Structures are given as C-alpha cells and as structure tokens.
Amino acid sequence: MTGFGATILDADGLSLTNDERAFFRDANPFGFILFSRNIDTPDQVRRLCGEMREAVGREAPITIDQEGGRVQRLRAPHWTEWQPPLDFVMAAGARAKQAMYLRYRLIAAELKDLGIDSNCAPMVDLAGPKTHEFLRNRCYGSDPTEVAELGRAVAEGLLAGGVLPVLKHIPGHGRATLDSHLDLPHVDADHTALSTRDFAPFAALADVPMGMTAHLVYEALDDRPATLSPKVMDLIRKEIGYDNLIMTDDISMKALKGSLTDITRNALAAGCDVILYCNGPLADRRRVAEAAGTMTPAAQIRAEHALSMRKPPDDIDINAARAQLETLLNGA
C-alpha cells in the first residue's frame, strides 16, 4: 500500500474544485474534515464525501466536529439540534452514561447516512472553575472517573454506529484560561496534579483509535506547546499509554506561532502522526502537504489500525432509540 499523506485537510465549499481534486490526488491525505461551509443538504454532503474519496481513490476517513451545542456542523432543519454536552449531562443526571451513549449513537446514524465516518469526540477535558468559556460547556464534568465513563459511552455509541471517535484534547485542555484559537494558554499545575486529574480520562480511554492534541503549554513539562513538544508527546505515549493515531489540533489556530511549514515539521518531529490543517487557501494546503510528506512507518501502522476499527453499524431502531433517550431525559 502506498503510504498515506500525513495530513487531514478540508475543502473550500460545497463541492471540490478541479484544482482541489488534482491536489488531493497528488497529496493523498490520510483523511478529510468538513465544516459548516461544506454543508447544505444531505444529498450535497453525500456527493462531497464521494468526491473526496474519489480524488484519493480509496475510502479515506472523513471527520467532522459534531459535539452538539455550539460545536455542531450539522444543524436543523436537516439534522438534530443538540444541547451543549455539559448541559445535557447535567439534565440527564444519574442516567447520563446511558443518555450519552444514545446521543452519540444517534449522531453516528446521521453522520454515517452522509458518508461521514469519524467524529471529533469524545472530549474528555475536565471542566474547572477557571476553564475558558470556549471550552467549558463542551466538557462532560469535573470528576476524572465520571468523565472517563461518559467518554467511554460516547466512543462506544459512535463505534456502534460505524463512526470512528477522536479523543481530544490530549493530554487535557480543561485548565486553559485562554481560547487556543486566539492565544496560547499556559498551565502552571505540577506534574502530579496533571497526572492524577487531567491525564486520567485519557489514560482510561487509551484504546480509542484516534486522538487530537492540545495547543497549550504545560509549564511543568516543557515551554513548548504540547503539539510541538517531544517531551509531552513522549509522556502521552508512555505515561498516559496512548499508542494509537495522534493528529494535531488545527495548526492554523493562533496558539501556534511560526510558518505553516515549520509548525508541520516540528509537530511531526515531536511525535504527532498526522497534521490537521483547516481554513486555509489552497496554496497553504499545498505547503502543509509538502512539508508533511507521507506518514512514517509507525504512523502508517497506527492509521491502518484505526481504519480497521471501522465496522458496519449495528442493528438499531433509530426511532426507538430517540424515544428511549427522551424518556431518560424526562426522568421517567
């Protein structure tokens, strides 16, 4: 098998341009990601997914951010509107684990129907008293054990629906008091505090097939952002025990400074397997793809392992699952 390009890339609009088709054919990105600008109707999304896979000549994974709440690319009237995860968990109370499974099994059904076979969830960052607003209601809670259990329910719901989960943001973004889309957060907690709390849910979910890094500095570990830090990446692999495919968070985010070429090379040198680059012009996508090259042999093995976990959806009555979820949320 020809090695995958060490990138996950996006498209400008509702269908691929001729230039994008040619670029994707040559760059052979591992996968693709969709944003709101790529989404109009169900039939249009299906066509776009088909165009992406046709460009690379294989069933490349196509992912999306479909958490619910503010971070939700598929919206009404064609798709379900969901509460933010933290609000949903609080509403479900003692039944949150079962409710989260059903929620993400239903999300998986909507994704799979469109040809989307990955979702950037579960997000097991811990909510704390100072967690930035951009992240807080996307969290599942503040207790590491409970968050890990809810993250497991999310991952199982997605996998049961034929959708690959992406665990984020490794090794933990909850202490950030800045929005990494705009600034580089610094976390001053010591290693022991990080290990016993922030890292714990990720260790519990180390078998999830794909993971996404956090763009923030853990001052007790390194003065470089985690995505670019060999020390943090080594900790993720060894202390946390996560040896599956690791993608960067979007390297266009303002938390990372420097040229796209340097960021790409430094992230891969640190130990990331694949570069996620979004929302840039085609010329910049070309630069990132050229700098990333093809996956290392180790990354290729992890990528193939992740893809091997794509299974046909289980047999489920979607209407019955919706009714069951409504009953759970209503406390019956």
PDB file of all heavy atoms in Angstrom, residues 18 49 63 80 91 106 169:
ATOM      1  N   ASN A  18     -11.775  21.797  -9.434  1.00  0.00           N
ATOM      2  CA  ASN A  18     -10.847  20.974 -10.215  1.00  0.00           C
ATOM      3  C   ASN A  18      -9.446  21.017  -9.616  1.00  0.00           C
ATOM      4  O   ASN A  18      -8.741  20.005  -9.593  1.00  0.00           O
ATOM      5  CB  ASN A  18     -10.828  21.435 -11.671  1.00  0.00           C
ATOM      6  CG  ASN A  18     -12.106  21.092 -12.409  1.00  0.00           C
ATOM      7  OD1 ASN A  18     -12.825  20.154 -12.037  1.00  0.00           O
ATOM      8  ND2 ASN A  18     -12.419  21.843 -13.459  1.00  0.00           N
ATOM      9  N   CYS A  49     -18.605  14.002  -0.020  1.00  0.00           N
ATOM     10  CA  CYS A  49     -17.839  12.889   0.547  1.00  0.00           C
ATOM     11  C   CYS A  49     -17.375  11.945  -0.559  1.00  0.00           C
ATOM     12  O   CYS A  49     -16.225  11.467  -0.546  1.00  0.00           O
ATOM     13  CB  CYS A  49     -18.663  12.140   1.585  1.00  0.00           C
ATOM     14  SG  CYS A  49     -18.962  13.066   3.114  1.00  0.00           S
ATOM     15  N   THR A  63     -13.986  13.182   8.702  1.00  0.00           N
ATOM     16  CA  THR A  63     -14.370  13.515  10.067  1.00  0.00           C
ATOM     17  C   THR A  63     -15.080  14.863  10.110  1.00  0.00           C
ATOM     18  O   THR A  63     -15.165  15.579   9.111  1.00  0.00           O
ATOM     19  CB  THR A  63     -13.152  13.475  11.018  1.00  0.00           C
ATOM     20  OG1 THR A  63     -13.593  13.428  12.370  1.00  0.00           O
ATOM     21  CG2 THR A  63     -12.229  14.669  10.814  1.00  0.00           C
ATOM     22  N   THR A  80     -30.398  16.866  13.701  1.00  0.00           N
ATOM     23  CA  THR A  80     -30.817  17.112  15.082  1.00  0.00           C
ATOM     24  C   THR A  80     -30.007  18.229  15.721  1.00  0.00           C
ATOM     25  O   THR A  80     -28.778  18.278  15.579  1.00  0.00           O
ATOM     26  CB  THR A  80     -30.638  15.827  15.912  1.00  0.00           C
ATOM     27  OG1 THR A  80     -31.336  14.757  15.278  1.00  0.00           O
ATOM     28  CG2 THR A  80     -31.168  16.016  17.335  1.00  0.00           C
ATOM     29  N   ALA A  91     -28.598  17.580  32.709  1.00  0.00           N
ATOM     30  CA  ALA A  91     -30.024  17.280  32.580  1.00  0.00           C
ATOM     31  C   ALA A  91     -30.301  15.790  32.765  1.00  0.00           C
ATOM     32  O   ALA A  91     -31.330  15.407  33.317  1.00  0.00           O
ATOM     33  CB  ALA A  91     -30.530  17.748  31.217  1.00  0.00           C
ATOM     34  N   LEU A 106     -27.091   8.147  18.015  1.00  0.00           N
ATOM     35  CA  LEU A 106     -27.965   8.866  17.080  1.00  0.00           C
ATOM     36  C   LEU A 106     -27.165   9.814  16.198  1.00  0.00           C
ATOM     37  O   LEU A 106     -27.431   9.936  14.991  1.00  0.00           O
ATOM     38  CB  LEU A 106     -29.037   9.626  17.850  1.00  0.00           C
ATOM     39  CG  LEU A 106     -30.073   8.754  18.573  1.00  0.00           C
ATOM     40  CD1 LEU A 106     -30.913   9.591  19.532  1.00  0.00           C
ATOM     41  CD2 LEU A 106     -30.967   8.032  17.565  1.00  0.00           C
ATOM     42  N   HIS A 169      -8.842  16.743  24.202  1.00  0.00           N
ATOM     43  CA  HIS A 169      -7.627  17.196  23.547  1.00  0.00           C
ATOM     44  C   HIS A 169      -6.460  16.687  24.388  1.00  0.00           C
ATOM     45  O   HIS A 169      -6.241  17.200  25.480  1.00  0.00           O
ATOM     46  CB  HIS A 169      -7.569  18.710  23.474  1.00  0.00           C
ATOM     47  CG  HIS A 169      -8.728  19.349  22.755  1.00  0.00           C
ATOM     48  ND1 HIS A 169      -9.925  19.672  23.382  1.00  0.00           N
ATOM     49  CD2 HIS A 169      -8.875  19.720  21.456  1.00  0.00           C
ATOM     50  CE1 HIS A 169     -10.734  20.238  22.511  1.00  0.00           C
ATOM     51  NE2 HIS A 169     -10.135  20.278  21.322  1.00  0.00           N
TER      52      HIS A 169
END
